[in-house]
Amino acid sequence: MDADDFSRGRVDRAFLVRWLREEDPERLEALWAAADAVRREHAGDAVHLRGLVEISNHCVRQCAYCGMRGANRGLERYRMTADEILECAREALGYGFGTVVLQAGEDYALTMEWVEALIRRIKAETGLAVTLSLGERPERELAAWKRAGADRYLLRFETSDPDLYRLIHPTLPGGPQDRLVHLRVLAALGYEAGGGVMVGIPGQSYDILARDILTFREMDLDMIGTGPYLPHPETPLGKGEIRPDLPAGEQVPNSEAMACKVIALARLVCPEANIPATTALATVNAEGGYERGLRRGANVVMPNLTPPRYRALYEIYPNKASLAVNASVECLMARIRAIGRTIGRGPGGRKRAR
Ligand code: SAH
């Protein structure tokens, strides 16, 4: 396979399925190298660090994969105060990060006005870029938060397959049928928009995953977050209550290698996007997950700055890597430098060729 095979125009569904199914180590090396070269050319060697603050684990939704789903009564719930969140933002600034990411379950006690005031305070007191990841909120709230100074919004679309989406992500009555609608709204409001999918979710076939990757390109996403699906025992998918049946050999595994293939292919289809090596990837490979992601197309890491007393309660899946003792920011920065990369400065928004 010559280098031309990786040019953007040639990347179609059949190409993607072939690479997702590829297991030959030498050929995979060629894929990693191609993704790494495209990453270097379009995103650079700097790894941007985003301080992740998990501000609430309350959630009204019933996603079949997520441990924070409202029906999980066994989970103690918390909501951080604005002062606590500001403290985390200042910590991010202290580390030299350019961005703070505020993530939560879909929690309507985080009202439009409260979040708006929070964004203004973070902007005034730290000047950091603000990324929100608060679920499927109404357009007028998203617009108010943009006016308050929010820069980016993360909302993974989870799958591009309508049937699988319905199965794993029950919509709210009257709400849109999928998250792609929200992503278009976010882009139109002027946010840098981030989407993505879990890799190896039950019911995800190679064909579906290939379409997901093509969707990254169609949506021209500014950020693409992907990571292996990790079963949570208190969820319908984790308990096996929902078992999407696929023909033998069609189910995508939730392996580290598959997660890396998706990062690499995402980089090929969206050369300029900011692509994180995610906590889920580091959870399946604590020793080298971040490094693998960063060498196979990723250019972002999101260190967890949530106060330790809350961190374990933000349990979207068990045993998050951010709970490990070696999850310190200093350690992470040393690991990034050890693979020959630099630490990004400034907000680290999407670079554009033009
Ligand atoms: N409420 C917000 C944030 C959810 S957590 C939202 O829905 O956008 C962010 C992402 O974690 C989700 O979009 C999902 O892709 C991922 N996630 C949730 N449960 C997971 C699991 N069991 N394994 C791996 N990733 C998971």
Side-chain angles (χ1 to χ4, degrees), residues 132-168:
L132 302 176
S133 182
L134 305 177
E136 298 165 39
R137 305 286 300 231
E139 180 167 351
R140 71 179 199 97
E141 301 189 345
L142 300 173
W145 299 340
K146 186 77 190 63
R147 283 194 302 274
D151 300 278
R152 314 189 186 114
Y153 205 103
L154 302 176
L155 189 80
R156 294 189 183 176
F157 58 87
E158 315 297 4
T159 174
S160 58
D161 184 80
D163 294 330
L164 182 58
Y165 188 84
R166 266 193 296 278
L167 200 60
I168 65 171

Side-chain angles (χ1 to χ4, degrees), residues 29-105:
E29 283 305 325
L31 176 62
W32 311 141
D36 200 42
V38 172
R39 185 272 309 155
R40 186 173 306 120
E41 183 186 344
H42 294 270
D45 276 336
V47 174
H48 295 287
L49 301 177
R50 324 289 202 196
L52 175 65
V53 190
E54 296 155 334
I55 67 174
S56 163
N57 72 347
H58 289 267
C59 192
V60 301
R61 306 301 293 267
Q62 303 302 344
C63 302
Y65 44 84
C66 182
M68 288 188 338
R69 63 204 306 272
N72 182 5
R73 301 271 172 236
L75 184 65
E76 184 192 330
R77 305 282 170 164
Y78 72 90
R79 192 175 289 122
M80 289 174 68
T81 66
D83 285 341
E84 286 174 322
I85 297 166
L86 255 297
E87 197 49 49
C88 296
R90 280 191 282 269
E91 194 184 346
L93 192 65
Y95 284 124
F97 300 173
T99 299
V100 67
V101 181
L102 309 180
Q103 194 179 75

